[in-house]
C-alpha cells in the first residue's frame, strides 16, 4: 500500500504544477498590451503630406509626380493591419514587376505612416504603355475635397499637377494594372491575390460608410431620407439599408455617369464627383 501511495502523491503534485503553469500563462497573456488601434488620419493631413512632397520636388518635375493613397483603408476599422500590409506588399511587387534595368519604376512612400505614395507618371507610362489619364478615366473614386480644411490643399495639389484629382486609391490602382490589357506577363502573386480579394469582398453599410469617411448612421440616414431615393433606386444602394450588400463592381459602376460611391459622396457633402472623359 505504501508503495502505491508515493507514486500517486507524485502524480498529483505534477498535475498541480501543470495546472498552475497553465494558469500563470493565461494570467500573463491577459496582461499583455493589446494591439494598438489605428488612429484615423484626416484627409487634410494626407493632403498636407502630398503638398509637402511637392514642395520638396524640383519645380520643373512637379507636373510629373502623381500620388496613390491608402487613407481610406487606414481609416477603415474593418481593414486589418494585415490587409494594409498586403496592399503595401502588392505595391512593392508592382514596382519590381514593372521596372526595367535601364528605367526603374519607383513607388515611394512620402510620409512616416506610409499612407501616401509617389509615382512618376512618365516612368509609369514607359513601363505600362498607359498614361496617367488612362487611370483617371477609369477611376471610380474621383472626388474634389469639400472639407474646409482640405479644400485649399486639394486645390494646390491639383494646380501643380494639372489633374482634376489630388490622388487615386492605391488598391484600386493596383487592380487596374492587372485588368483589361495586362502590360506584361507574369503578374506577381501578391498583386494577383490582392486583385482577387478586392472584388470578392462585397460592400455593406459599414464598409461603405468607412470608405466615404462618414459615420454609418449618417449614410443610413441619407439613404432613408426622401432625398436619398435616388441613391436607393437609381444607384442601387437600397440593400445597404436592408442589412444586405452590393458587389464592389456595382459600387464602382459608372452606368449613371457617376458611380454609386461618388453619388453618395456628393449627397453626404464629402466631395464633388470627378469623371474624366
Amino acid at each position: 500500500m505504501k508503495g502505491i501511495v508515493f507514486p500517486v502523491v507524485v502524480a498529483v503534485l505534477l498535475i498541480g504544477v501543470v495546472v498552475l503553469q497553465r494558469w500563470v500563462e493565461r494570467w500573463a497573456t491577459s496582461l499583455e498590451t493589446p494591439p494598438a488601434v489605428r488612429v484615423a488620419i484626416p484627409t487634410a493631413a494626407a493632403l498636407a503630406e502630398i503638398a509637402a512632397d511637392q514642395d520638396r520636388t524640383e519645380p520643373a518635375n512637379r507636373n510629373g509626380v502623381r500620388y496613390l493613397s491608402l487613407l481610406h483603408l487606414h481609416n477603415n476599422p474593418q481593414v486589418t493591419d494585415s490587409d494594409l500590409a498586403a496592399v503595401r506588399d502588392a505595391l512593392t511587387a508592382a514596382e519590381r514587376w514593372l521596372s526595367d534595368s535601364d528605367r526603374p519604376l519607383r513607388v515611394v512612400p512620402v510620409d512616416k505612416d506610409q499612407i501616401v505614395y509617389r509615382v512618376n507618371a512618365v516612368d509609369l507610362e514607359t513601363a505600362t504603355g498607359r498614361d496617367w489619364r488612362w487611370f483617371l478615366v477609369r477611376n471610380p473614386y474621383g472626388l474634389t475635397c469639400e472639407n474646409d480644411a482640405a479644400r485649399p490643399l486639394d486645390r494646390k495639389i491639383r494646380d501643380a499637377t494639372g489633374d482634376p484629382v489630388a490622388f487615386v486609391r492605391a488598391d484600386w490602382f493596383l487592380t487596374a494594372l492587372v485588368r483589361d490589357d495586362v502590360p506584361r506577363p507574369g503578374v506577381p502573386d501578391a498583386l494577383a491575390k490582392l486583385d482577387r480579394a478586392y472584388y470578392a469582398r462585397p460592400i455593406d453599410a459599414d464598409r461603405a460608410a468607412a470608405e466615404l469617411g462618414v459615420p454609418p448612421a449618417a449614410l443610413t440616414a441619407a439613404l432613408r431620407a426622401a432625398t436619398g431615393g435616388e441613391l436607393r433606386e437609381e444607384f442601387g444602394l437600397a440593400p445597404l439599408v436592408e442589412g444586405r450588400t452590393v458587389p464592389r463592381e456595382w459600387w464602382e459602376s459608372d452606368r449613371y455617369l457617376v458611380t454609386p460611391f461618388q453619388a453618395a459622396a456628393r449627397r453626404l457633402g464629402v466631395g464633388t464627383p470627378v469623371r474624366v472623359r
Side-chain angles (χ1 to χ4, degrees), residues 125-192:
E125 184 175 0
T126 299
T128 66
R130 301 168 179 174
D131 62 12
W132 188 248
R133 181 180 172 82
W134 187 94
F135 293 94
L136 294 182
V137 167
R138 289 158 178 77
N139 179 21
Y141 299 105
L143 297 173
T144 58
C145 297
E146 299 303 324
N147 179 279
D148 289 342
R151 191 182 297 115
L153 291 164
D154 181 65
R155 170 62 67 180
K156 177 183 178 181
I157 295 163
R158 292 189 289 114
D159 285 348
T161 61
D163 278 352
V165 293
F167 56 80
V168 300
R169 292 185 173 194
D171 52 348
W172 172 81
F173 169 84
L174 290 168
T175 67
L177 282 176
V178 299
R179 291 184 171 248
D180 298 324
D181 300 319
V182 178
R184 61 180 67 190
V187 177
D189 289 343
L191 196 50

Side-chain angles (χ1 to χ4, degrees), residues 16-91:
V17 169
V18 171
V19 171
L20 178 62
Q21 181 180 5
R22 289 181 178 175
W23 181 85
V24 169
E25 288 174 352
R26 289 180 182 177
W27 179 75
T29 300
S30 68
L31 295 181
E32 290 178 359
T33 303
V37 177
R38 293 194 307 271
V39 178
I41 297 174
T43 301
L47 293 175
E49 295 287 359
I50 294 176
D53 186 71
Q54 286 184 328
D55 289 341
R56 292 190 295 267
T57 303
E58 291 293 328
N61 298 329
R62 286 175 190 168
N63 189 52
V65 294
R66 297 297 185 272
Y67 297 91
L68 309 173
S69 172
L70 298 177
L71 184 66
H72 65 292
L73 298 175
H74 177 277
N75 290 350
N76 186 344
Q78 292 189 1
V79 175
T80 67
D81 289 344
S82 295
D83 293 334
L84 273 172
V87 179
R88 293 187 177 109
D89 288 345
L91 283 169

Side-chain angles (χ1 to χ4, degrees), residues 104-267:
L105 177 68
R106 302 298 183 208
V107 184
V108 184
V110 304
D111 62 309
K112 64 180 180 63
D113 294 314
Q114 298 184 23
I115 300 301
V116 179
Y117 287 73
R118 181 202 320 118
V119 64
N120 183 283
V122 175
D123 292 345
L124 180 66
E125 184 175 0
T126 299
T128 66
R130 301 168 179 174
D131 62 12
W132 188 248
R133 181 180 172 82
W134 187 94
F135 293 94
L136 294 182
V137 167
R138 289 158 178 77
N139 179 21
Y141 299 105
L143 297 173
T144 58
C145 297
E146 299 303 324
N147 179 279
D148 289 342
R151 191 182 297 115
L153 291 164
D154 181 65
R155 170 62 67 180
K156 177 183 178 181
I157 295 163
R158 292 189 289 114
D159 285 348
T161 61
D163 278 352
V165 293
F167 56 80
V168 300
R169 292 185 173 194
D171 52 348
W172 172 81
F173 169 84
L174 290 168
T175 67
L177 282 176
V178 299
R179 291 184 171 248
D180 298 324
D181 300 319
V182 178
R184 61 180 67 190
V187 177
D189 289 343
L191 196 50
K193 183 177 180 181
L194 176 71
D195 178 62
R196 290 192 299 270
Y198 182 82
Y199 285 103
R201 186 176 297 161
I203 305 295
D204 61 14
D206 287 343
R207 182 169 292 276
E211 293 201 4
L212 289 161
V214 300
L219 173 60
T220 301
L223 290 170
R224 285 178 173 162
T227 54
E230 177 190 44
L231 296 178
R232 292 193 308 272
E233 306 306 327
E234 182 176 345
F235 287 95
L237 297 182
L240 299 186
V241 293
E242 299 166 357
R244 297 185 290 121
T245 64
V246 296
R248 170 72 66 178
E249 288 89 345
W250 179 253
W251 186 233
E252 296 181 350
S253 168
D254 63 352
R255 179 178 176 182
Y256 295 106
L257 300 182
V258 298
T259 66
F261 165 85
Q262 290 175 314
R266 179 174 55 195
R267 177 71 65 191

